[in-house]
Amino acid sequence: MRIALFASGTGSNVEAILQAVQETKLEADPVFVFSDRSDARVLEKAKNYEVQTYSFRPRDFDNKQRYEEALLKLLEKNQVDWVILAGYMRLLGPTLLEPYENRIVNIHPSILPAFPGIDAIGQALEAEADQTGVTVHYVDAGMDTGQVIRQETVAIDAWETKESLAKKVQKIEHRMYPETLQCMFKKAKKR
Ligand code: GAR
């Protein structure tokens, strides 16, 4: 499976996936890492794994469609099978969704449909929820609305801070994302 990883920020999930590939826990070929932010830390992280990186900004294109056409070209040129979003903080349009239908996945730090969008961890604390968690899901045009693939919950303790909860959630993410992808790719290969 040839995969492309899209991220906007730190890239700890991208790193967990690249690490899992290196350790042969995830049978996939990471073809490139893309970021919509040229200063994103994920680009440095990818270099440590000798994975090709690309970065360009939507605002440097006439509109979103042109931006996504450039991305699609990159995906097709590299014969990418699956697009893995890991902290890529943009909604996808039909230019990417249609050719890659059911082959784009995302990870989100809540039990969707609860707490979609940005700062899901802050939202869970604000709501005084007893638990939150992690969802891996297919991507559609909505904000964290695609079909759920896997979810894991985590308890929110009374003394929880944003930092402590983020740490717990990320620990789950870093194990769960590579595991879920491995499972999905195995199934897809059998078809
Ligand atoms: C992750 O917690 C991911 O679940 C979240 O962004 C973080 C990125 O961290 N994604 C979303 O909130 C998507 N709506 P990372 O850059 O360290 O992987």
Side-chain angles (χ1 to χ4, degrees):
M1 291 296 173
R2 293 173 69 80
I3 62 172
L5 299 140
F6 287 15
S8 304
T10 316
S12 69
N13 279 286
V14 165
E15 187 162 32
I17 289 168
L18 296 176
Q19 188 92 43
V21 169
Q22 209 169 61
E23 291 168 3
T24 67
K25 289 180 186 160
L26 173 59
E27 293 160 79
D29 186 1
V31 191
F32 66 82
V33 170
F34 169 77
S35 183
D36 56 330
R37 298 179 55 125
S38 55
D39 59 349
R41 277 169 55 199
V42 66
L43 296 170
E44 284 308 309
K45 288 212 167 100
K47 282 185 190 140
N48 296 334
Y49 292 85
E50 290 171 13
V51 176
Q52 178 73 50
T53 60
Y54 295 98
S55 175
F56 40 81
R57 299 176 307 176
R59 73 168 103 133
D60 295 332
F61 292 80
D62 288 344
N63 52 44
K64 182 170 168 166
Q65 188 186 334
R66 293 275 176 270
Y67 163 71
E68 289 197 337
E69 279 167 5
L71 271 174
L72 183 62
K73 219 170 166 182
L74 206 53
L75 291 168
E76 288 178 342
K77 193 178 113 197
N78 286 283
Q79 295 173 303
V80 169
D81 299 307
W82 290 79
V83 178
I84 314 302
L85 308 187
Y88 179 71
M89 300 311 244
R90 284 182 190 280
L91 291 180
L92 300 192
T95 309
L96 290 175
L97 289 172
E98 280 167 19
Y100 276 89
E101 195 185 358
N102 288 327
R103 289 186 298 142
I104 309 180
V105 291
N106 182 41
I107 191 160
H108 183 77
S110 78
I111 299 295
L112 290 170
F115 316 129
I118 57 165
D119 194 20
I121 291 172
Q123 290 184 54
L125 285 174
E126 187 71 22
E128 297 181 7
D130 294 334
Q131 59 174 36
T132 185
V134 177
T135 301
V136 176
H137 64 96
Y138 288 105
V139 175
D140 64 14
M143 172 92 78
D144 303 316
T145 50
Q147 192 198 329
V148 170
I149 299 163
R150 194 182 284 192
Q151 295 185 307
E152 276 189 36
T153 55
V154 61
I156 302 178
D157 295 314
W159 55 85
E160 207 81 70
T161 63
K162 206 164 163 183
E163 288 68 34
S164 67
L165 185 56
K167 221 172 166 179
K168 279 200 225 169
V169 165
Q170 287 225 320
K171 194 171 172 208
I172 294 176
E173 288 191 329
H174 298 162
R175 172 185 48 76
M176 181 178 164
Y177 211 4
E179 265 179 24
T180 308
L181 293 173
Q182 173 66 4
C183 209
M184 292 172 65
F185 295 164
K186 263 194 153 168
K187 273 191 203 156
K189 262 191 196 166
K190 278 188 197 155
R191 272 189 225 125

